[in-house]
Amino acid sequence: MVGIRLEKGSQGRSSLSRIYDAAAVRIDRRIGWSRFPPPLGLALLFGLRNVLRRENLFDTDALPSSGGPVAAPYDDRYLVQRTADGSWNDLDEPTMGMAGTRFGRNVPLANAYREPEPQLLSPNPRDLSRALLTRTTFQPAETVNSLVAAWIQFMVRDWFSHGAHPTDNPWVLPVRGDDDWPDRPMEIPRTTPDPTRPPRSDDSPWTSINVVSHWWDGSQIYGTTRAEQQRRRSKVDGKLRVGPGGLPGYFDEPGKDPAREPGFWLGLALFHTVFTREHNAICDRLHAAYPDWSDDDLFERARLINAALMAKIHTVEWTPAVISHPTTVAALRTNWWGLAGERIHNLVGRISSSEVISGIPGSETDHFDVPYSLTEEFVAVYRMHPLVRDEWSLRSAADNTVLRESTLRDLTGAGALDALAKISTADLLYSFGTLHPGLVTLHNFPHHLQNFIRPDGKLQDLAATDILRTRELGVPRYNEFRRLLHLEPAKDFADITGRSDWAAELDRAYDGDVERLDLVVGLLAERLPRGFAFSDTAFRIFILMASRRLNSDRFLSRDFRPEIYTQEGIDWIGRNSLSTVLLRHFPELRPALRSVENAFAPWTAADDHR
C-alpha cells in the first residue's frame, strides 16, 4: 500500500529493520495506526507492510501437483507486450501468474484448510444471512458515488475467477420453517476442485485455480486466450470492435450472450463500454505518432497503456475514495509517484530508480522471495456486495429529470442491455455518479442479491454464498485471521462493533462463541477508521497486496518506461484520470464533474449547476 520499504542490506541494517517493524506491530496493536497524524501513521504502515511481506506470503505451488498450465514457447515480442494468458510476465518463470495457476495465500499453509463437515456448515450461512446481513434500511456511503461499486466489479473480472461451479453435489443447507425461501433445502454450488492436486484430506491446505491471469492486464476487456482476443479485435488500426450505440462489439458476437453471464449488470457494462472506447482512442494517438505500425503493434501497445491506466485509476483514485483517511491517501499516492510526488513526476519523470523516491512504476521488479499470485484472502476481502444499491433512479445529465425508476434486478442480465439501448451512456454514467452506494457493513446486503436469479433461472442467496465460499476455500475465521495478520483477536462481540444491538445479534447467531465468527461477517461488523468504507482488518490485506501487484508485474515496475510503452503511452497514463477518460468520450458530463477532484466522489446534480 505504501511506497517505502526498508531496504535489505548489512546484517546491522536488517536487524534494525526488524526492530523497527516489531515496534510498529506492537504500537499498532496497542493504539492503532489510524489514530496517529499522517507522518507517524505512515511510519507505522511502513513497518506493518515489511512484516506482512516477510510473514504473510505463501506459495501454494510448493504443495503436491499433478500438472498445470504450460506456457507457449518464448517469443521476442513478449519483451514489449503482454500475452493473452499472462505467461512470460516473469521471463525466468514463464508460468508465474498465468491463467490456470493456483491462488496463493496470506496465511500459513497449515492454517489454510477447509473445516470438515458439519463444522463447515455451522452456523448455517442462510440463517446468518437473514439475521445479520439483510438490508433493513439502506445505509449509504455518502462520501462516494455508485461508480465505486461498478468499478470494483469491473476490476475483479480482471483479477480473479474460480471458474464455473459444477451443478452436481452442491452444498446443502437446511431452511427454517419461518423462512420463505422457495426451495428446501437450499443448494449452493461448490467451487470447482483444483485439477492439479492429488486427493487430499480435509485438514490439508486447500488450493484452487484462478481461471484468469493474476496480473493487472485488462483481461476483462481483452480476454484470457488468443482466440478471445482475436474475436474482440476489429483488425483495423489496432482497435477493438464497437457495436451499435458504441457498445463493445463482443457484446453481440456470435455465440456470446453477456446477459447469460453470471454477475452481468449495468454497472459492469458501463465500464466495459468506457474502456473499450479508451483503447480505441489510444490506438488513434499511437497511429498518429507511428503511422507505419501494424494492426498488431497498435493493439498490443494500446492494451499495455490501457491496462496501466486502469491500475493507476484504481491505485490513486478508487482506493483513496473508499479509504479516505489522510494517511492512506498519502500512502497510495506514494505507491505510484513516490515521495517526490505527482508534480515532480509530471515535470521531469523519475528522479531516482528507488520506489521510495519515485514510486513503484519504473522501479525494479520484486517478488519478495515468493512467486507472485493473487491470494484466497485477497478474494475474501473483496466480497463487497453491500456497495450495490437496490433502487436506482436513472436521470438525465442535462436537467436531472427522471428517465426511469429501476430496481437492481431490472438492471441485471438482459435488463442491462435494455437500459443501454434506451438511455444514453452519458445519462447512465451521470446517474451512477450522483447516487451513493451502500456502506460495507452489517444489515446492508442488497435484497436483489440475497434473492439473486442466476442465468440458469435458479435462485441463490449471495450473502449466504459469500459466507460459505470463504469457509469452503479454507480462509480462516475472523479471530484466527486477525491473529495470523498480527492483530489482537476480539475478546467478545462487543469488542468488534461499537453497537450493543449488533453485539447481541452476533452473540445469538454464534451461540456466544466469538471464535466461530466468520471472516465475512466480522469484517462487516467492525468499527471503521475515519474515512473508511470497509474494515481495518481487510485493510491489512490491502497493505500487503496493493503494492505487491505493482512490484511483481514487470510491466508496472521495471518495464514501465518509454522503451516499452512509448513516450506517448507514458504521457497518456501520466496525464489521465477517470474524469479525463469520461470527458473524452462523454463531454456532456463536464458540468457534473466540474466540482469534483476525484470522479468517484459524488457529482454535482444538474439542477445544482444551472
Side-chain angles (χ1 to χ4, degrees):
M1 176 68 68
V2 289
I4 293 181
R5 180 169 68 96
L6 296 179
E7 301 293 335
K8 297 177 182 177
S10 67
Q11 184 60 43
R13 287 189 66 188
S14 176
S15 297
L16 181 61
S17 171
R18 287 177 180 270
I19 292 171
Y20 171 85
D21 299 342
V25 170
R26 285 197 298 272
I27 294 170
D28 176 61
R29 290 178 69 150
R30 182 180 296 270
I31 302 173
W33 66 268
S34 63
R35 297 186 180 183
F36 289 89
L40 294 177
L42 279 171
L44 291 176
L45 292 184
F46 301 158
L48 295 177
R49 192 182 66 172
N50 290 339
V51 172
L52 291 166
R53 282 175 168 174
R54 283 197 305 268
E55 301 182 19
N56 290 92
L57 293 172
F58 299 94
D59 181 16
T60 55
D61 284 337
L63 296 169
S65 174
S66 58
V70 177
Y74 173 75
D75 189 301
D76 283 342
R77 292 176 297 176
Y78 301 157
L79 293 173
V80 296
Q81 68 184 50
R82 293 183 181 273
T83 60
D85 61 10
S87 59
W88 291 106
N89 190 304
D90 186 289
L91 299 174
D92 295 321
E93 296 188 45
T95 62
M96 185 191 297
M98 73 178 289
T101 55
R102 291 175 182 168
F103 288 98
R105 287 289 183 174
N106 296 129
V107 300
L109 298 185
N111 299 91
Y113 63 90
R114 174 191 288 179
E115 298 174 20
E117 296 185 55
Q119 294 97 309
L120 180 72
L121 302 181
S122 176
N124 185 331
R126 172 60 180 175
D127 293 343
L128 297 176
S129 169
R130 296 178 67 210
L132 301 173
L133 274 64
T134 298
R135 178 173 281 164
T136 51
T137 300
F138 177 63
Q139 302 173 65
E142 296 182 347
T143 60
V144 288
N145 66 50
S146 282
L147 289 174
V148 302
W151 176 268
I152 194 56
Q153 191 197 16
F154 181 61
M155 289 292 99
V156 163
R157 289 299 180 100
D158 177 29
W159 300 339
F160 52 77
S161 171
H162 289 88
H165 298 281
T167 56
D168 62 319
N169 190 31
W171 296 109
V172 177
L173 304 181
V175 176
R176 291 182 180 272
D178 63 347
D179 190 340
D180 61 1
W181 193 259
D183 301 322
R184 296 170 182 270
M186 174 182 284
E187 295 184 350
I188 297 178
R190 296 179 185 242
T191 298
T192 302
D194 178 356
T196 71
R197 285 291 301 278
R200 53 181 175 244
S201 61
D202 284 334
D203 60 354
S204 67
W206 188 260
T207 59
S208 55
I209 294 297
N210 190 0
V211 302
V212 299
S213 82
H214 296 255
W215 307 107
W216 221 335
D217 56 7
S219 60
Q220 76 274 49
I221 293 174
Y222 299 106
T224 305
T225 68
R226 186 72 173 169
E228 281 182 320
Q229 281 193 3
Q230 292 302 311
R231 288 195 299 269
R232 296 180 181 194
R233 293 174 56 178
S234 72
K235 311 297 176 65
V236 177
D237 294 337
K239 294 184 177 182
L240 293 169
R241 291 193 304 109
V242 175
L247 302 181
Y250 61 87
F251 278 9
D252 61 0
E253 71 182 38
K256 180 179 179 63
D257 180 2
R260 300 286 301 169
E261 293 182 4
F264 182 80
W265 74 296
L266 181 59
L268 182 64
L270 286 174
F271 276 122
H272 272 281
T273 300
V274 169
F275 282 91
T276 294
R277 294 187 184 192
E278 184 69 1
H279 172 95
N280 290 350
I282 296 168
C283 287
D284 287 336
R285 179 69 187 92
L286 292 174
H287 183 59
Y290 306 98
D292 295 332
W293 274 14
S294 69
D295 173 61
D296 281 347
D297 290 335
L298 292 167
F299 170 80
E300 296 295 352
R301 295 302 173 89
R303 178 192 177 203
L304 202 60
I305 295 163
N306 205 20
L309 177 56
M310 287 187 275
K312 177 193 172 188
I313 290 170
H314 187 82
T315 301
V316 302
E317 294 186 78
W318 185 89
T319 313
V322 297
I323 48 175
S324 59
H325 190 286
T327 300
T328 56
V329 171
L332 287 155
R333 294 178 67 83
T334 301
N335 251 4
W336 196 266
W337 291 298
L339 291 177
E342 181 182 8
R343 182 174 299 178
I344 295 297
H345 195 281
N346 289 344
L347 284 173
V348 298
R350 296 188 66 86
I351 61 174
S352 169
S353 61
S354 169
E355 71 173 78
V356 175
I357 304 300
S358 291
I360 297 173
S363 67
E364 282 302 308
T365 304
D366 194 341
H367 301 312
F368 308 103
D369 302 320
V370 178
Y372 173 75
S373 66
L374 294 178
T375 65
E376 296 287 11
E377 289 70 33
F378 181 82
V379 175
V381 301
Y382 266 109
R383 296 186 184 275
M384 296 184 177
H385 288 117
L387 285 170
V388 182
R389 302 173 60 93
D390 279 298
E391 306 297 328
W392 295 81
S393 180
L394 305 179
R395 287 164 293 126
S396 166
D399 58 13
N400 205 40
T401 58
V402 175
L403 303 174
R404 179 190 296 183
E405 297 287 359
S406 299
T407 67
L408 177 60
R409 182 167 293 168
D410 297 331
L411 303 179
T412 61
L417 297 176
D418 180 69
L420 287 163
K422 294 178 179 177
I423 301 174
S424 77
T425 304
D427 287 338
L428 294 171
L429 288 165
Y430 168 82
S431 300
F432 274 67
T434 52
L435 288 171
H436 295 305
L439 278 176
V440 183
T441 189
L442 290 184
H443 297 300
N444 209 28
F445 204 95
H447 292 297
H448 294 290
L449 296 184
Q450 263 186 315
N451 297 273
F452 177 67
I453 301 176
R454 300 184 337 216
D456 63 7
K458 293 187 177 180
L459 197 62
Q460 187 165 346
D461 179 353
L462 293 185
T465 302
D466 280 353
I467 294 168
L468 179 55
R469 198 69 74 214
T470 304
R471 297 178 190 172
E472 178 191 35
L473 297 174
V475 177
R477 301 214 185 198
Y478 179 80
N479 255 0
E480 185 66 8
F481 189 86
R482 286 181 60 87
R483 292 187 187 96
L484 296 171
L485 276 98
H486 320 290
L487 291 161
E488 287 287 348
K491 298 184 293 293
D492 51 35
F493 296 108
D495 196 29
I496 298 168
T497 178
R499 295 184 50 165
S500 59
D501 55 339
W502 284 8
E505 290 174 354
L506 291 165
D507 189 79
R508 286 194 299 272
Y510 286 92
D511 292 327
D513 188 354
V514 71
E515 293 298 325
R516 297 296 292 164
L517 178 65
D518 286 282
L519 177 65
V520 169
V521 178
L523 297 182
L524 297 178
E526 276 188 28
R527 300 178 183 91
L528 302 180
R530 178 163 63 95
F532 270 47
F534 57 83
S535 83
D536 186 40
T537 300
F539 177 60
R540 306 311 161 123
I541 300 298
F542 282 60
I543 294 173
L544 174 59
M545 299 299 292
S547 56
R548 175 165 167 77
R549 289 187 294 164
L550 301 176
N551 284 117
S552 284
D553 191 324
R554 171 166 60 96
F555 293 106
L556 294 173
S557 53
R558 181 187 70 217
D559 284 347
F560 188 82
R561 50 195 171 96
E563 293 85 351
I564 305 298
Y565 280 78
T566 73
Q567 188 60 53
E568 290 77 11
I570 293 293
D571 292 344
W572 189 283
I573 298 161
R575 67 173 178 257
N576 277 294
S577 63
L578 180 57
S579 289
T580 64
V581 170
L582 294 175
L583 292 175
R584 180 170 16 261
H585 306 292
F586 308 100
E588 59 267 51
L589 295 176
R590 188 171 303 279
L593 282 164
R594 184 176 292 136
S595 63
V596 299
E597 294 183 6
N598 185 329
F600 293 110
W603 296 4
T604 304
D607 52 7
D608 291 335
H609 52 66
R610 287 182 293 189

